Amino acid sequence: MPLAIRPNYLSAPNDLFLMVEGVKLARRIVAQRPLADLIEKDLAPGPALASDEAIAAWVREAASTVYHPCGSVRVGEDPLAPLDPRLRVKGLERLWVADASAFPLVRSSTIQAAVIMLAERAAAMIREDSRG
């Protein structure tokens, strides 16, 4: 069966509510001077979408994320951590996790360098574990 990732964005009612409120707040901010003097027109979602329902429909269609998912299969020695300190999935043989999901904490910064470091270290550990 192919892998299916379902992040369930906007599945919690409060998430969609906050996005709609964010659009309305952004509109109020840009309607104030001096920004209002610089704005020629509302390109998206456009002035025709005024009701909460219409904005919500637009948010569902147009919203995307730049969120860097991490920390969902964290490494640790405690019983609740799915990975051991060598990035092996506990209870399974020959299965390692070598991506940002292994991070024990979710960081708010760009994670690229940390992912590269983790992948390099994971490759070394997998080679070591595969030899012995």
Side-chain angles (χ1 to χ4, degrees):
M1 175 187 301
L3 177 66
I5 297 174
R6 295 182 185 93
N8 293 325
Y9 295 129
L10 304 175
S11 60
N14 196 50
D15 292 345
L16 185 57
F17 170 78
L18 291 174
M19 292 293 286
V20 169
E21 292 302 308
V23 169
K24 291 171 16 182
L25 176 61
R27 283 178 164 172
R28 287 193 302 274
I29 290 171
V30 299
Q32 305 295 315
R33 295 192 69 193
L35 284 177
D37 298 335
L38 303 171
I39 307 294
E40 290 182 29
K41 65 180 177 178
D42 179 355
L43 296 176
L49 299 182
S51 71
D52 287 1
E53 295 78 19
I55 295 170
W58 175 79
V59 165
R60 285 189 183 282
E61 180 68 28
S64 64
T65 181
V66 293
Y67 171 67
H68 301 291
C70 63
S72 57
V73 188
R74 68 184 176 82
V75 66
E77 294 187 7
D78 62 283
L80 296 178
L83 304 179
D84 72 14
R86 294 187 62 81
L87 302 172
R88 296 175 295 209
V89 176
K90 293 176 182 176
L92 297 175
E93 291 184 26
R94 301 184 54 80
L95 181 60
W96 295 263
V97 174
D99 63 19
S101 63
F103 295 162
L105 298 173
V106 176
R107 296 289 176 206
S108 61
S109 63
T110 301
I111 60 174
Q112 179 183 4
V115 170
I116 292 169
M117 181 278 312
L118 179 88
E120 292 289 338
R121 184 67 186 119
M125 289 189 291
I126 290 168
R127 280 192 299 271
E128 291 167 8
D129 289 352
S130 295
R131 286 186 206 130

